Amino acid sequence: QVELLESGGGSVQAGGSLRVSCAASGYTSNSPCMGWFRQVPGKEREGVAGYTEDGGTWYAESVKGRFTISKDNAKNTLVLQMDALKPEDTAMYYCAARKTTMDCPPFWATLNAEWYYYWGQGTQVTVSS
């Protein structure tokens, strides 16, 4: 059974940095394609960063230049480094993964939640002004 476990959330002042990680377990073959999403109560889940089918990365415009996604395929671990954080980055951050039989999405779908099959429980990130 596949499980995604996020860690590393917390509280920080605006301009600070946080690093959130996601450990995927239960995969028996290829490393899955994974991405990061976030959600604020009362709003739809928003794609933050992910990988595209050609091996590149894709970011939401609101986080470009401030967030960096990285992965360790050997450990099935995904990391999101968040710098220059703003109060509007406050949200629950979720890790998502596709099935191992699936390639990463094309760039125009990388941040679409419907393209992901497994979800973690989330980790809270709070940025104060």
Side-chain angles (χ1 to χ4, degrees):
Q1 182 169 344
V2 173
E3 290 187 351
L4 304 178
L5 182 63
E6 301 96 338
S7 61
S11 297
V12 67
Q13 288 193 327
S17 298
L18 279 175
R19 183 182 176 96
V20 291
S21 299
C22 174
S25 61
Y27 285 96
T28 58
S29 55
N30 296 337
S31 180
C33 181
M34 301 169 71
W36 286 102
F37 291 77
R38 66 187 181 187
Q39 190 169 22
V40 175
K43 293 189 176 181
E44 288 190 2
R45 193 163 293 189
E46 172 192 25
V48 177
Y51 287 90
T52 60
E53 61 184 349
D54 61 358
T57 54
W58 198 257
Y59 296 90
E61 285 296 324
S62 59
V63 306
K64 248 180 216 181
R66 300 187 298 120
F67 290 12
T68 303
I69 189 172
S70 61
K71 60 182 177 177
D72 183 335
N73 287 334
K75 298 180 179 178
N76 282 347
T77 298
L78 187 73
V79 174
L80 185 68
Q81 176 67 38
M82 302 181 289
D83 299 318
L85 282 161
K86 304 175 181 181
E88 51 263 43
D89 294 318
T90 295
M92 186 73 78
Y93 281 72
Y94 296 91
C95 171
R98 287 168 62 81
K99 294 182 177 180
T100 53
T101 55
M102 298 176 176
D103 293 332
C104 281
F107 72 93
W108 48 265
T110 296
L111 303 183
N112 186 331
E114 295 182 359
W115 284 68
Y116 295 82
Y117 192 81
Y118 301 108
W119 293 86
Q121 293 300 307
T123 184
Q124 179 67 37
V125 170
T126 302
V127 185
S128 58
S129 57

